[in-house]
Amino acid sequence: MLKRFGFCLAALAVAIGAARAEAPAAYEVAGAVVHEISSSATGRSYKLIVKTPPSYAAPENAKRNYPAIYLNDSELFFLVAAGAPLLSYYNRAIEEAIIVGVSYAIGEDPIASRQRDLTPVADESFKNETGGAPDYFEFLKNEAIPLIERSYRTDTTRRTLAGHSLGGTFGAYALLREPELFANYVLIS
C-alpha cells in the first residue's frame, strides 16, 4: 500500500511539473487572422495580424472599402487597437477600419528586431543592430501592404501608419521618405 501511495505521489509530482512547464495559451482576438510573410527586402519573416471591423462581412457592405491602420509593435499594441474601437464603432463615434498589426521578425528577440527594423540609422549606443528602417520600409511598402490590399477590401487612399516610441521613429522616417504612402500618421512619443 505504501509503495502504491509513493508511486501515486511521484506520478502526481511529474504531472504537476509538466503542467507548470507548458506555456499558457496565447490570447487571441476573436475574428483576427494571421498572415505569415517572408520578406525579400529584409530577409526575415513577419506576421500580419488583421482584424476587420464588425460590418465587414455584412452582405450589404460587400462593395465597401475600409481604411486600413498599420500598427507597428503589434505584440504590444494590437490587442488594445483591435478591441478599443468597438464601442465607438457601435455608437458611430468613429469610422470602422481594418487594423493590421505588423509583428517583430519571427523567431527573433523582440527588442533586437524592433531596434533594427524601426531605426533609420546605425547607432553604436544601442546594444543591438540598428539602421534597418530602409529595408523594413521596403517590406512594408512592397510586400505587406500589397498582401493586405489583395486580401481585403481596403481604401488605398486612406492608409494610416501608427507607431509608439521606436515605432513612432519609424513612422517619422516613413513620413519623410514617402509621405504619400500613408494618408495619416499617428506618431507617439
Side-chain angles (χ1 to χ4, degrees), residues 57-174:
E60 64 270 18
N61 292 323
K63 294 186 180 193
R64 179 178 173 192
N65 291 334
Y66 291 79
I69 301 170
Y70 291 84
L71 180 66
N72 289 315
D73 292 313
S74 68
E75 288 84 348
L76 296 175
F77 303 113
F78 184 78
L79 291 175
V80 173
L86 287 179
L87 186 57
S88 296
Y89 287 163
Y90 292 123
N91 291 330
R92 301 186 194 282
I94 62 171
E95 183 179 9
E96 292 181 317
I98 297 170
I99 309 292
V100 181
V102 184
S103 79
Y104 305 123
I106 296 172
E108 291 189 16
D109 172 62
I111 299 299
S113 176
R114 75 187 300 267
Q115 287 179 353
R116 178 196 56 242
D117 290 343
L118 301 178
T119 55
V121 296
D123 184 340
E124 297 298 323
S125 69
F126 279 79
K127 174 184 163 190
N128 298 304
E129 176 187 355
T130 57
D135 292 339
Y136 186 76
F137 179 85
E138 292 301 319
F139 154 68
L140 197 60
K141 176 184 175 183
N142 297 318
E143 298 168 341
I145 291 172
L147 180 129
I148 296 301
E149 292 179 353
R150 282 191 310 270
S151 304
Y152 297 91
R153 296 186 319 273
T154 64
D155 181 342
T156 60
T157 66
R158 298 178 62 211
R159 292 184 207 117
T160 297
L161 178 61
H164 172 266
S165 188
L166 287 179
T169 299
F170 175 78
Y173 169 78

